[in-house]
Amino acid sequence: MFWTLIRQELLIHLMSARFFAAVVITLVLVVANTYVLIGAHEERLSDYSQREAENRENVNRTPTYSYLKLKIQRSPNPLSLFSAGLETHFGSEIDILFDSMPSLSNPLAEVKPDEEYHWLFAKEYTLSSPTAPLGLKNPYLRLFSQIDLVFIFQVVLSLLALLFAYDAIAGDRETGTLRLVLSHPVGRGNILLAKYFAAMICLLLPALMSLLLTLIQCSFAPLLQFSTSDYLRIGGIVLTTIVYLSVFYLIGLLISTITRLTATSLMLCMFLWVVLVLVYPNWSRFALNPVGEMRAEKISANRQIAQIREEANRQRDSFLASTPLKGEPPLFTETLPLDKFYQSGGFLRGNFPRLHVELKNTVDPLVLDLRRYYDFAATLQIQTAEKIGTVGQHLVSQTSFRQARWDERLMKLSPTSLYMFATSAWAGTDLDSMIDYIRAAQTYRTALINAFHERNAFASLQWFATNQGTIDWSILPRFHFQRAEVSLSAQRALTDMFLLLGTNIVLFMATFMIFIKVEI
Amino acid sequence: MIWHIVTRELYDHLTSLRFALTTFILVALMVTNAVVHLQTHPEQVRKYSEKVIASQNELKSRTQLYTLLRNGPGKLYKRPASLAFIADGGEAFLPNESVSGYAWTLYGTTSLWSLGYPRLNMNTISTLRPNAMAIDWVFIITYLLSFIPFLFTFDAISGERERGTLLLCLANSISRSTLLVGKFLGSLITVLITFYFAVLFNLTIISTESWTQLGAADWGRLGLIVLIASCYTGIFTAVGLIVSAMTRESRLSLVMLLLIWVTFVVFMPSTLGTLSSKWMSPVQSHYQFKTAKDAAIDQLKSSIRNQQETLKARQLKSADTSPDNAERIDISELEIWQDFVNKDVEIQERFNRQYLAEQSAQVLRARQITRCSPAAIVQYALESMAGRGFNRHLQFLEHVNFYVRQFRDFIVEMDRDDPESLHIIGVSDGMSKKPISPEAIPIFEDKLTFQDTLNSAMMDMILLILLLSVSLSGAFLVFLRADI
């Protein structure tokens, strides 16, 4: 009897015009958007390789160790096709500098320190946060918002789920078929279950068909390749989609059980859909700002950083007092007159002593003092940057990071946002993956410093002087951002998936209870 | 008779559940919009006026013509629109100030100020916060004022046909067109009542704040914006009636309408824009643009070096001749410099202009195609009316260009008035040394007249009216021939 019910429901759904129309629209949207998304991904890839080439060229042109200004990038994630998350708009490039730590964001830049310091260490760079998201050749095209595949499911299939559900019970009750069915020896729970399974199968069909079409389209794009783990992630996304659609079907079923008339049920479903899918996620992000500006925290962090810098300055001054070097760094023109000591060169004023000079004479004893000073200054600077980094990290976790987390939490009151965040966790485009990237950048910075130490670069003449010719830059460690393992991504997605599942169970229980007691 | 139908429809709608839900959503969103606007707007206006005053004071502190030319007019700022709550328009991402071009020093001569390529605020989109749309009037109008008319009209004809009341109705001496107009007006007025109610809430809250003084022109704009919204609602009401008349079941009619809505309102405005740009000739990347510009400047530099060398050779040859000759050569050296610095400015600005023109042409063309969706038309019309978004950005750049020309003309004229000057513009020694009065320097003021906004919105408004008439006549045609 149970199977007969399912088969009958299935036939009703599959033969209906609404199902046909919805499938056609979904597939058209999926094909058109996949085309756009693949194009955007290819543009990001070419942007990425162009920037890589530029960076490599810049490094190879760098005359001295101290002049090095290294940039790393996050390679574009092909799964952003499915769920863009932060991937397409969060910065991709990080400056790897000795005098600043990579950080998720730089809230220090938003408030100016209340006192102006004159020549100080690390004045300009406090934290280096990702900038310049990879992107379209014409950046103005960002004015057209990008749509990912998950968004299509989120909007169209949830609508279809509600359209299947709104008259499932109320309609049968109106036409009187429910009474007839219940005159057979079938439990009420069985009827609910049969309706549920039949509808879920019908909802899965368009989802799987669009997935198939997307994968076929992707196979025609030579630059877009998915690895085995990517397919597992796609599997995770499909799983989340099922749970998500089930939530909407059950919402519709619940409303359908409660209401007497299909017309009322339909109106409630439609308004609930608009609110949950379109209005609430945007509204919550737009209207609610529970963390606020946190100006006081930013100013106090700036003050702490000023103290750290002053301390570093004191150490530097006391070191300089013990050397014969006089005058303003980095050239010390009082003891090392420009015309007698230097042949040519240039330097970047400000924070870290970045310079490239050609000395007239490398055996001068003052050169040794200079080398010792730069060794000291570089080590001091690296330490200072780490101290500033700790303060900055704390500030980030209090401000922008906390804000992003709160946004997520508030948005997650809608199942649509839960679905969005869960899928971006699967795709590796969520906030946690960006944190992974920052960690990788920090590790890379340490590796770079170690490589420099190994070569004794800080104390070498090549640190600042070009007398010994060009530098072999192949010593630099290579950076490649490795995304988190699938199991880790699954863990991250699991909380949201459990929340979705929980919603499912609660909704089903509620529907069941009401349906058991309801008058037919 | 027609009013009888309209009032009956109105009574029906006003007491329905959908009316209550609609009112609730619209009012909630409009209130949110007003409250957030009041929280953010005064701060923006304050920052803008502070920055403008600082930049003008700096400008007025310059007394020498040459320093004025070399340092330029300083930063020029875009005035925040008083109707910012109408449309977000990606304003946070578009530049709100002018940028100066690349400056250099060569053999003791410095470049003149040039207008740089306006930088997009990439860091505003590079945030950790999840992406979301702003709840502005554009959101409320494009999404809800299309969705809600569908909910009111999907069963207007098919529902009555199902119940058989349509047959009864037409058995009376009512023409089909009267019935249709009655139904159209009934649904339209219902939706507009809730919308105007919500707008009233919104504007009341906004006008409580003294920071956002709305002038007469602003109220005029608001009037037109409400008119545009009404027109848009009318289009979707008519489409709802068309589909309702065409389908046998009201259930099917709703599904069709929702799918139309999802395609035209939710997906088309964004998908079509990026999709269409795929088939347009590609713009150069920033890197290509930079290298082309640098190559042109390098060429200029080398030609100047050649000129200088020939001049030096001539100088050596005629070193022993009269001092009168030497002075002339001096002038010709200044003239070479003049040529150099002015051409440099010209090349930089020409490249920037071309690059920008190429990019904006692509965006404008993509927008043209996106206009297949009425939601996009309304979005662009509202952005133009509110003085936000891409059109406003182009207008701002135009104002800046106009002002820069004015500023340079002013310098040339002041120099011409001084008989002691050599009239070699662009070189310190060749220009008038007379101090200038700070009042005389032209000041940039970013103003947006009612005319400007109306002009850029005109096409969209005409398109909307056309669409409305097309969809209304479509409804007539379908209903006149429909089986009952």
Side-chain angles (χ1 to χ4, degrees), chain B residues 145-254:
Chain B
L145 286 195
S146 50
F147 187 73
I148 292 166
F150 280 174
L151 290 189
F152 278 102
T153 51
F154 79 98
D155 58 352
I157 293 167
S158 56
E160 290 218 29
R161 190 155 43 197
E162 273 175 340
R163 287 191 298 268
T165 41
L166 193 61
L167 214 59
L168 287 179
C169 217
L170 286 175
N172 290 330
S173 57
I174 304 169
S175 71
R176 285 194 179 198
S177 50
T178 321
L179 187 71
L180 188 77
V181 171
K183 291 222 171 263
F184 175 75
L185 286 180
S187 308
L188 182 66
I189 291 171
T190 320
V191 179
L192 289 184
I193 284 175
T194 54
F195 176 62
Y196 293 160
F197 184 60
V199 163
L200 213 63
F201 257 89
N202 179 286
L203 292 180
T204 318
I205 296 175
I206 280 176
S207 53
T208 54
E209 184 71 44
S210 55
W211 266 102
T212 51
Q213 294 148 341
L214 299 179
D218 289 329
W219 286 107
R221 284 189 193 120
L222 276 173
L224 276 177
I225 286 167
V226 169
L227 214 65
I228 292 172
S230 312
C231 195
Y232 179 71
T233 318
I235 294 172
F236 280 88
T237 313
V239 171
L241 286 177
I242 293 179
V243 175
S244 184
M246 269 164 66
T247 46
R248 308 252 94 215
E249 277 176 276
S250 58
R251 230 197 288 177
L252 182 63
S253 119
L254 180 71

Side-chain angles (χ1 to χ4, degrees), chain B residues 120-416:
Chain B
L120 291 164
N121 300 326
M122 278 300 185
N123 49 344
T124 57
I125 51 168
S126 177
T127 78
L128 292 173
R129 305 186 75 178
N131 246 350
M133 281 179 272
I135 307 284
D136 48 8
W137 279 37
V138 168
F139 177 88
I140 299 170
I141 290 170
T142 52
Y143 280 89
L144 293 179
L145 286 195
S146 50
F147 187 73
I148 292 166
F150 280 174
L151 290 189
F152 278 102
T153 51
F154 79 98
D155 58 352
I157 293 167
S158 56
E160 290 218 29
R161 190 155 43 197
E162 273 175 340
R163 287 191 298 268
T165 41
L166 193 61
L167 214 59
L168 287 179
C169 217
L170 286 175
N172 290 330
S173 57
I174 304 169
S175 71
R176 285 194 179 198
S177 50
T178 321
L179 187 71
L180 188 77
V181 171
K183 291 222 171 263
F184 175 75
L185 286 180
S187 308
L188 182 66
I189 291 171
T190 320
V191 179
L192 289 184
I193 284 175
T194 54
F195 176 62
Y196 293 160
F197 184 60
V199 163
L200 213 63
F201 257 89
N202 179 286
L203 292 180
T204 318
I205 296 175
I206 280 176
S207 53
T208 54
E209 184 71 44
S210 55
W211 266 102
T212 51
Q213 294 148 341
L214 299 179
D218 289 329
W219 286 107
R221 284 189 193 120
L222 276 173
L224 276 177
I225 286 167
V226 169
L227 214 65
I228 292 172
S230 312
C231 195
Y232 179 71
T233 318
I235 294 172
F236 280 88
T237 313
V239 171
L241 286 177
I242 293 179
V243 175
S244 184
M246 269 164 66
T247 46
R248 308 252 94 215
E249 277 176 276
S250 58
R251 230 197 288 177
L252 182 63
S253 119
L254 180 71
V255 174
M256 299 301 291
L257 285 175
L258 287 178
L259 292 176
I260 290 175
W261 180 77
V262 162
T263 328
F264 276 85
V265 177
V266 181
F267 286 98
M268 261 207 186
S270 40
T271 310
L272 219 52
T274 3
L275 192 67
S276 59
S277 67
K278 288 269 166 303
W279 294 301
M280 290 174 196
S281 54
V283 296
Q284 9 172 7
S285 68
H286 192 73
Y287 182 72
Q288 285 167 324
F289 155 69
K290 239 176 23 193
T291 34
K293 191 163 85 172
D294 289 349
I297 300 264
D298 281 344
Q299 205 185 350
L300 177 71
K301 276 183 187 163
S302 67
S303 87
I304 292 297
R305 215 165 289 140
N306 285 341
Q307 280 184 39
Q308 249 182 338
E309 266 157 30
T310 49
L311 185 74
K312 250 184 212 150
R314 223 159 7 109
Q315 237 167 349
L316 279 178
K317 242 191 268 169
S318 58
D320 43 357
T321 49
S322 62
D324 178 46
N325 201 4
E327 194 175 286
R328 206 164 52 232
I329 287 167
D330 202 12
I331 287 175
S332 60
E333 191 177 355
L334 286 184
E335 274 168 351
I336 290 176
W337 279 121
Q338 178 197 15
D339 205 30
F340 184 24
V341 287
N342 284 315
K343 263 193 186 150
D344 167 68
V345 168
E346 197 242 296
I347 288 176
Q348 290 208 36
E349 289 189 350
R350 178 158 47 89
F351 269 87
N352 291 341
R353 222 172 17 242
Q354 275 170 1
Y355 185 45
L356 196 72
E358 202 180 325
Q359 287 183 331
S360 36
Q362 198 183 35
V363 174
L364 287 177
R365 243 175 304 149
R367 279 188 160 214
Q368 213 69 276
I369 292 171
T370 325
R371 285 198 168 93
C372 287
S373 150
I377 299 179
V378 165
Q379 186 196 334
Y380 303 152
L382 256 55
E383 278 177 8
S384 312
M385 291 307 298
R388 307 267 285 177
F390 190 67
N391 275 340
R392 166 79 171 110
H393 171 59
L394 294 183
Q395 276 165 351
F396 169 68
L397 293 180
E398 216 172 275
H399 290 176
V400 167
N401 276 325
F402 179 74
Y403 168 72
V404 168
R405 241 175 291 139
Q406 205 184 342
F407 179 77
R408 288 196 179 125
D409 288 349
F410 162 77
I411 289 172
V412 171
E413 240 155 66
M414 287 302 279
D415 188 71
R416 198 180 294 147

Side-chain angles (χ1 to χ4, degrees), chain A residues 52-71 96-98 346-348 352-357 448 452 457 461-476:
Chain A
E52 283 284 271
E54 249 176 273
N55 289 344
R56 214 171 304 128
E57 203 184 311
N58 278 340
V59 166
N60 286 335
R61 271 208 309 254
T62 307
T64 59
Y65 283 127
S66 69
Y67 222 67
L68 181 68
K69 204 175 175 189
L70 202 58
K71 279 177 178 173
I96 298 294
L97 300 162
F98 295 117
F347 65 92
L348 292 177
F352 198 61
R354 265 181 244 283
L355 69 167
H356 63 99
V357 288
L448 182 73
F452 267 44
L461 189 64
Q462 278 175 310
W463 178 256
F464 60 97
T466 51
N467 292 47
Q468 289 174 359
T470 50
I471 297 176
D472 173 25
W473 283 113
S474 59
I475 57 149
L476 289 183

